[in-house]
Amino acid sequence: MTATPIQPGIAPAQPTPRRAGRRGRRSDGRAASGFLAPGGLLLGLFVVGPFIAAIVLSLTNWRLVSPLPTQWVGLENYRAIIADSQFWIAIRNNLTFAVLVVPLQTILALAMAVLVNRPVRGRVVIRTIYFLPVVTVMTAAAVIWRLLLTPDGAVNSVLGTITFGALEPNWLTSTTAAMPAVVLVSIWQGAGFQMVILLAALQGVPSDLYEAASIDGATRWQTFRHITVPGIRNALIFVVTVTTILAFRLYDQVVVLPTPAGGPRDATRTMMLEMVQTGFGRQLIGRASAIAVLFFVIVLALTALQRALFRESP
């Protein structure tokens, strides 16, 4: 091995800053591709691929068990869905559920986060109790709530005592009380998840701002409105967006809680239930796939609208 002779008075060639920058960017690009590859592969296999398959199936008349060959029917499934009154009932119930759950659950989660963010005794235990419903399987929790919401259950016993018997609704078989029962159970189960996100955001608000507000004589409401809420604005937008998406996935509660599944006179029928019953109950896989595509488009449009209305602060 021979070394390159260096002439006296001439410095060895060094890579230019531009060339070094290109090498660095290429290296970062390869590293980023390596980190993104597993997630992208799973996303393609379990989200993009099935969605493309749903689009294709929605244009056919494929039945789950049928001796007849599958035929291409174009947009016929979409025309049948739009003309079906149960589809519009399901959309109405989904929107009603989202309008009730998103603000109520977000406000409750924020109140819980503010409470457990204070240096109170036993706050770790309180946080655990608040978060416990999130790790509980919804089907098992719904069975317990079904017992609590019977006409002679614990919920009506408490309401009857408070209202002297004036308010004891039949939660699970009434067309007016079935949806509030589903909303109640859903908020109980989901508020802990949002609480954790908002609690992390609250702990990121600088304490200097609170000290300055205290010196200036700001009230608790003024401090909350002008320091806490702007400080957790991005987390609140994220929570509202995720809660809205999860609200449209409503399925377990409307199957287990009311009688029958979907509630009396379709009072709690949702798009997820409509899709499952169409695909596996009536064995119309092509039409169920069309419902799935419409369902995705509706949720995507609502999410895009939320992102346009509530922009995150930099």
Side-chain angles (χ1 to χ4, degrees):
M1 181 175 181
T2 58
T4 302
I6 300 175
Q7 297 181 5
I10 301 177
Q14 297 293 333
T16 63
R18 177 177 294 181
R19 185 174 299 175
R22 287 177 182 172
R23 289 178 181 175
R25 285 194 293 271
R26 287 175 185 171
S27 177
D28 292 343
R30 286 193 292 269
S33 301
F35 283 116
L36 289 175
L41 180 62
L42 294 176
L43 191 67
L45 285 176
F46 296 106
V47 178
V48 179
F51 182 67
I52 294 175
I55 294 176
V56 175
L57 290 176
S58 70
L59 303 175
T60 69
N61 66 345
W62 183 39
R63 300 177 65 91
L64 193 61
V65 179
S66 175
L68 301 177
T70 301
Q71 294 180 344
W72 187 267
V73 296
L75 299 177
E76 185 58 34
N77 286 324
Y78 293 95
R79 296 192 188 97
I81 291 170
I82 293 174
D84 189 356
S85 61
Q86 284 194 328
F87 174 73
W88 295 106
I89 292 174
I91 289 182
R92 183 197 64 192
N93 289 336
N94 265 122
L95 291 174
T96 303
F97 179 81
V99 167
L100 292 174
V101 164
V102 172
L104 292 177
Q105 187 166 308
T106 303
I107 293 172
L108 178 62
L110 179 59
M112 292 160 55
V114 171
L115 176 64
V116 298
N117 193 40
R118 296 176 178 275
V120 296
R121 180 178 297 179
R123 62 177 177 175
V124 176
V125 177
I126 297 174
R127 290 176 184 176
T128 304
I129 293 173
Y130 285 166
F131 191 74
L132 198 58
V134 179
V135 296
T136 304
V137 178
M138 175 48 82
T139 306
V143 171
I144 297 174
W145 273 101
R146 184 182 173 87
L147 298 175
L148 297 175
L149 293 170
T150 54
D152 55 350
V155 175
N156 273 0
S157 297
V158 174
L159 286 177
T161 303
I162 297 173
T163 62
F164 301 101
L167 182 60
E168 293 181 347
N170 197 345
W171 294 98
L172 305 179
T173 57
S174 168
T175 55
T176 56
M179 180 58 78
V182 172
V183 170
L184 172 67
V185 176
S186 301
I187 291 176
W188 168 83
Q189 199 266 343
F193 174 68
Q194 282 84 353
M195 180 201 71
V196 172
I197 298 172
L198 296 176
L199 178 61
L202 285 172
Q203 294 178 348
V205 180
S207 58
D208 299 346
L209 299 177
Y210 292 106
E211 294 175 2
S214 177
I215 294 172
D216 291 340
T219 62
R220 288 187 176 182
W221 170 247
Q222 290 172 331
T223 303
F224 176 79
R225 181 182 175 187
H226 297 290
I227 295 179
T228 302
V229 173
I232 62 172
R233 173 185 167 83
N234 292 345
L236 278 173
I237 293 174
F238 175 77
V239 164
V240 170
T241 303
V242 171
T243 307
T244 304
I245 295 173
L246 294 178
F248 278 88
R249 286 176 45 192
L250 180 64
Y251 179 74
D252 294 350
Q253 299 94 313
V254 299
V255 171
V256 178
L257 278 176
T259 305
R265 301 181 64 181
D266 295 327
T268 58
R269 173 173 292 277
T270 62
M271 292 185 69
M272 285 288 292
L273 180 63
E274 178 71 12
M275 182 173 59
V276 171
Q277 287 187 344
T278 301
F280 297 100
R282 300 165 63 187
Q283 300 183 358
L284 300 175
I285 298 299
R287 186 173 298 183
S289 300
I291 295 175
V293 173
L294 291 175
F295 184 37
F296 174 81
V297 171
I298 292 172
V299 174
L300 181 65
L302 289 175
T303 305
L305 180 63
Q306 281 187 328
R307 301 291 295 179
L309 293 177
F310 305 104
R311 294 186 180 276
E312 297 179 352
S313 58

